[in-house]
Structure formats: structure tokens, C-alpha cells
Amino acid sequence: MEYAIRINNVSKRYKKTEALNELNLMVPKGSVYGFLGRNGAGKTTTIRIITRLIKKDKGEVYVLGSDAQENRAQTMQNIGAIVESPAFYRNLTGRQNLKIAADLFGADKSRIEDVIKIADISDYADRKVKAYSTGMKQRLGIAAALVHSPKILILDEPTNGLDPAGVKDLRKLIKDLSKNLKITILVSSHILSEVEQIADYVGILHEGRLMDEFSMDDINLGEQKYLLLETDSTEKAAKILNENKDKLNISSVSQGTGKNQLKIFCGRDANAQINSIMASNNVIVSGMSSVKNTLEERFFAVTGSSKVEMEGI
Ligand SMILES: Nc1ncnc2c1ncn2[C@@H]1O[C@H](COP(=O)(O)OP(=O)(O)OP(=O)(O)O)[C@@H](O)[C@H]1O
Ligand SMILES: [Mg+2]
């Protein structure tokens, strides 16, 4: 596999705080990589190091195969980023701000219209930025980050401060950018559901270390944890299942949360057989769903933090 970003054993200390501790991270080329971690985990520090806004104490960062430190100009050309929140001239319009960004990178003027289209901001591109909502600013930030046609886009918690509709729109924009422009996108977030919905790969950062890194396919196509079966007769269904436990390779059967539901701990290949055995015993099946290990379970398994702590953020 080719990697857009590779981080090897990077450490960073701010006076008393060890922000990154021998961090290793690999962002596959062309993917949307969700960089997940609680507040203070070190996400912004990592992004600042990749974008060369701060220096690392040790380790290496490679951007598209070349050392980011040795090839600073090339790294800047390859990366477009919004770190924390985008900064603009508030008294200028969106279009004027994009012109400044284009000049800064020596990008062609025609690119301004392209990015206005890509980020879908033409309705308000001629309004002053001080009249923009948070969501509008975020989209203008993405347009500005794309002005020099980078191969990698880095967004640090892009949905912070957006309402649910704004979050949904931004999620769609990120997916479209990945699909249509075929660029690599690194998005940091502390919100599990957000990462779950946009990422192809996930890295879980905790206290300055990468605790886990996997593809979302591992989660989505992963082993079945249990089968949730909904029938017209829970008692009869449970009896049949227990009688056929060995034949169907079921490890256990328990009551689900709903009173018509049973949780059946078995492999995915038993699902069809369970359905047919219910039919042949005249039990009406109104629902079957395969429940897998979620990203949330994986996150809490490696960070050891409780759900309550996470919600308290
Ligand atoms: N400029 C700084 N000076 C001192 N300590 C810092 C500085 N910036 C970050 N830190 C510390 O480094 C650690 C990592 O911070 P960082 O901002 O990278 O985390 P984060 O994952 O981006 O968190 P958040 O989700 O809150 O944005 C934290 O303990 C933080 O307090
Ligand atoms: Mg941060």
C-alpha cells in the first residue's frame, strides 16, 4: 500500500507536557483517515507537526514519500490544511480572501472559481466574511485550503461548532472531495459517530500514542457479535434454538432489550439456518439483524475511558 503521510516515532514535549510519545501513523493514499482522540490526546499537535507549524523533538514525518523537514516547500505545496479554526480577513469577502490565498501560493486565478464551485459557496462568496456563519466559514476554509490543488487535505475537528445540518453537509462535502478529487483527507475528531460515517481508515490516539489503526471495513464487515432475532413467540423460539444449539453452533441465547427479541451468539453463517428452522416450526420472524463490534467498543477497549467520561467532554 502507498501512504500519503507516514509518521515514525515522533515525540513532542511542551515544557511539562509530553504531548506525543513515539507516535507512529500511516495514512493510506486516497483514503479518508479519521484521526480519533479525546481532548488533549495530541491531535492538533500531530497536525501542527505535519504542516510544519511547530517542530517535533524526534522522529520522522514523510509526506508522499519525502521527508517533510528536508522538503519544506514541496510539503507545503502538497498539503492544504485548516488547523483549529480557519483565519480570514473579516472585512473582505470570501472571494477576496480566496484571492489572497491564491496569491500566497502562486496559484492560478482561475482556481478561485474552481474552489468556489468545489466547496459550493457561490451563494455567499461576495459577502463579507464577518457576516458568515460558522458553517460558511468552514466551507470557505476548505476552499482556501484547496486553492493550490494540494494532494492532501488536513482538517482539524472541522465540525466543531456546527449544528446537525451543518455537520451533515460538511460530511457530504468531505466524501465528495475524496471521491471526485481523489485526494487524501486526514480529519481529526473526538466524535466517534462522525468518524464512523466518513472514514475509510481510523487511527485512535490516546495520551500521545497511536493505540489502534484499522480500516472501517474491518468494523463493517467484521465478525458478527450476535444475531438479534425478533419473533412472534420469544419463548418458543428460545426453546427451538436451545434444542438445536450444537447443530447451529450457537454459543448462547439470551433475552434482547425488546420483549420480542432474542440475542443469539453465533457465527454469521448460522443466520439463514436459524431463519429456516423458525419457519419450519411455525415461528414468525419479523426481524433479523446482525450486530457487530462497533467503533465505539474498539475505542473504549484501547483508551480504557468510560462512556461517561467521553460524554462529559
Ligand atoms: N502550546 C502548548 N503549550 C503547552 N502545552 C500544550 C500546548 N499545546 C498543547 N499542549 C498540551 O499538549 C497536549 C496535547 O494537546 P493537543 O492540542 O495536541 O490535543 P488535541 O487532541 O488536539 O485536543 P482537543 O481535542 O482538545 O483539540 C495537551 O495536554 C495540551 O494541554
Ligand atoms: Mg485539537
Side-chain angles (χ1 to χ4, degrees):
M1 188 162 347
E2 279 188 86
Y3 295 96
I5 303 171
R6 263 190 312 129
I7 297 183
N8 287 345
N9 293 319
V10 165
S11 296
K12 172 74 188 175
R13 174 177 277 279
Y14 299 103
K15 292 190 182 117
K16 286 187 203 132
T17 316
E18 188 172 46
L20 299 179
N21 183 357
E22 310 223 316
L23 176 74
N24 289 291
L25 185 145
M26 314 257 266
V27 179
K29 214 169 162 182
S31 69
V32 176
Y33 187 101
F35 192 28
L36 190 61
R38 303 171 58 196
N39 292 129
K43 302 180 295 293
T44 301
T45 302
T46 306
I47 290 173
R48 284 184 182 280
I49 288 173
I50 301 170
T51 54
R52 306 273 337 262
L53 291 168
I54 57 168
K55 285 193 174 143
K56 52 188 161 40
D57 299 334
K58 64 172 274 255
E60 294 102 42
V61 175
Y62 295 96
V63 172
L64 295 169
S66 79
D67 190 306
Q69 194 165 327
E70 284 168 17
N71 305 292
R72 190 187 163 84
Q74 194 187 336
T75 304
M76 296 336 270
Q77 277 300 329
N78 281 328
I79 293 179
I82 308 179
V83 187
E84 285 178 335
S85 52
F88 297 109
Y89 296 100
R90 291 171 47 79
N91 281 319
L92 298 182
T93 66
R95 196 184 301 271
Q96 287 166 333
N97 271 282
L98 290 174
K99 185 172 179 313
I100 293 170
D103 288 345
L104 211 67
F105 277 102
D108 200 282
K109 278 202 181 55
S110 66
R111 192 61 195 155
I112 297 170
E113 296 314 310
D114 291 349
V115 295
I116 286 175
K117 231 178 258 153
I118 293 169
D120 195 14
I121 57 170
S122 51
D123 287 353
Y124 46 88
D126 292 313
R127 242 189 266 172
K128 284 189 178 169
V129 169
K130 65 181 173 194
Y132 277 29
S133 69
T134 310
M136 291 172 178
K137 267 188 238 160
Q138 208 53 267
R139 293 181 92 90
L140 176 61
I142 291 176
L146 292 172
V147 86
H148 57 297
S149 312
K151 297 195 177 74
I152 301 168
L153 178 65
I154 300 181
L155 305 172
D156 189 16
E157 309 231 23
T159 57
N160 266 2
L162 302 189
D163 65 14
V167 171
K168 196 170 162 222
D169 286 349
L170 194 70
R171 203 188 296 141
K172 184 174 180 308
L173 176 61
I174 292 173
K175 280 188 179 169
D176 288 348
L177 289 176
S178 163
K179 204 169 113 205
N180 302 332
L181 304 183
K182 309 232 178 320
I183 56 176
T184 306
I185 306 178
L186 171 67
V187 198
S188 78
S189 177
H190 63 268
I191 304 163
L192 283 155
S193 58
E194 209 169 278
V195 168
E196 197 154 35
Q197 291 179 66
I198 56 168
D200 303 312
Y201 289 85
V202 177
I204 299 177
L205 186 70
H206 185 58
E207 295 175 353
R209 281 175 180 273
L210 201 76
M211 307 299 285
D212 204 354
E213 194 172 52
F214 48 86
S215 97
M216 274 308 290
D217 281 353
D218 287 354
I219 303 262
N220 294 331
L221 310 171
E223 273 297 288
Q224 169 169 293
K225 196 164 128 196
Y226 59 82
L227 170 71
L228 196 64
L229 182 77
E230 206 172 289
T231 65
D232 64 337
S233 172
T234 311
E235 221 171 288
K236 191 171 169 192
K239 188 167 173 283
I240 298 165
L241 291 167
N242 281 314
E243 282 166 6
N244 291 281
K245 233 172 154 177
D246 293 341
K247 191 175 139 200
L248 296 170
N249 236 334
I250 293 171
S251 49
S252 73
V253 178
S254 60
Q255 178 73 47
T257 23
K259 85 173 179 353
N260 300 326
Q261 292 177 332
L262 286 173
K263 272 185 183 179
I264 308 162
F265 290 83
C266 60
R268 197 192 297 270
D269 45 358
N271 297 0
Q273 277 176 288
I274 290 173
N275 195 19
S276 71
I277 211 166
M278 290 297 140
S280 59
N281 284 280
N282 299 319
V283 174
I284 297 167
V285 173
S286 48
M288 283 182 98
S289 57
S290 176
V291 178
K292 285 155 283 192
N293 277 312
T294 61
L295 177 59
E296 189 179 35
E297 286 164 319
R298 198 129 173 185
F299 181 82
F300 291 122
V302 295
T303 62
S305 36
S306 74
K307 200 169 178 174
V308 177
E309 263 182 274
M310 193 71 185
E311 281 166 354
I313 284 168

